[in-house]
Amino acid sequence: VALSNARNEIVAIYDQALDVRSGPTACLKEIITLIRLGLRETSINPQQLVAIGMGVPGPVEYSSGLLIAPPIMPAWGGYAVRDHLVEEFGTQVFIDNEVNLMALGEMWSSEAIMNNALFVKVGTGIGSGILCNGAIYRGADGAAGDIGHVCADEHGPRCSCGNTGCLEALASGAAIAAQAQEAAAAGKSELLAQLCREKGSLTLADVGKAVKEGDQEATRIIKESGQRVGQVLAGLVNFFNPERIMIGGSITQTGYLFLAAVRHAIYNRSLPLSTRHLAIEYSQLEGQAGVSGAVILAWQELFSNPYATAHL
Ligand SMILES: [Zn+2]
């Protein structure tokens, strides 16, 4: 949760882990508490709050602000998040998919010109935000950019969405952790097995740590995951011809091996004309891309609608 002033400067920011599976009521209660804390600590009168922008890790029907059948947060499906916050703060509220907001935040903070770009988040799941001609492209219903459920291997493992072989089931942070755990159990890596014994289970961060210590199996898993993501992105590069691909999410903490594998797959598989000026990089905003984008979204919406700003 971040509070911004009218000059687009973040004046308060709070980073707190939230389990979306605990449902919208419990999560929104914590979010509201943080917003109120921010208002208190910055001595901002709640009446001065003009808008709230919020990103969620699931598909959003932008016109209604509703999440539609979100795979990792089923309890939120159809829940009126916007109404809940409007009722609490009496202000304008705009809800979007979190990766769309990350793309927007990155575009506004970047010194490079970025009109056509993709922001790819690789965390627990995988998703992307599309910038087309300088604006977020949401598609007909708001589902554009959901690359985590593109089929990358027909015979691959089952995904949280019910299908098999989705990119997310093969190459996300959760998939990487699961593969590392299997490797540890199969005796393929002494280091991963040791980490697993110490902690009971493995996370993406553990795999990143093993890569930094030169573990071959962890290196193979991360490299393969980068190649999978790169293969899907290569198709998107041919189709969309972006000038920049930014990668964010917890995968960036595992180091540059993943990025190198993504780059390799894209440059190998995409057409020369579409990669001639293509930059593929890790996000420069680290954890702040989402909140920065949420602020930009709120301003854009307020100023594109004269009725919304009539009371400012
Ligand atoms: Zn899926």
Side-chain angles (χ1 to χ4, degrees), residues 41-190:
E41 287 190 335
T42 52
S43 306
I44 295 171
N45 183 338
Q47 313 272 301
Q48 286 177 283
L49 194 64
V50 291
I52 295 174
M54 177 174 167
V56 287
V60 176
E61 184 183 62
Y62 189 68
S63 57
S64 65
L66 295 179
L67 277 99
I68 308 295
I72 62 162
M73 46 201 298
W76 293 67
Y79 188 85
V81 178
R82 185 163 70 189
D83 293 352
H84 191 126
L85 291 173
V86 167
E87 209 163 283
E88 184 72 26
F89 294 100
T91 184
Q92 299 268 332
V93 178
F94 308 99
I95 314 276
D96 204 346
N97 174 272
E98 58 166 358
V99 196
N100 286 349
L101 298 186
M102 288 173 182
L104 197 58
E106 197 80 36
M107 181 181 81
W108 273 73
S109 71
S110 170
E111 281 166 18
I113 292 178
M114 214 190 290
N115 286 317
N116 297 294
L118 296 173
F119 188 103
V120 181
K121 184 190 174 198
V122 182
T124 311
I126 297 178
S128 81
I130 304 167
L131 290 170
C132 183
N133 294 327
I136 296 176
Y137 176 78
R138 297 189 179 89
D141 298 296
D146 205 348
I147 61 168
H149 302 284
V150 166
C151 182
D153 177 2
E154 276 179 27
H155 308 291
R158 185 162 286 276
C159 177
S160 61
C161 73
N163 285 324
T164 50
C166 293
L167 181 62
E168 188 166 298
L170 287 158
S172 66
I176 290 170
Q179 287 162 24
Q181 219 146 294
E182 272 171 35
K188 289 182 183 167
S189 157
E190 188 40 49

Side-chain angles (χ1 to χ4, degrees), residues 20-40:
V20 288
R21 288 166 302 185
S22 62
T25 320
C27 288
L28 286 167
K29 195 174 161 211
E30 288 194 50
I31 290 166
I32 288 166
T33 305
L34 287 180
I35 296 175
R36 294 219 175 275
L37 175 69
L39 291 169
R40 260 201 322 279

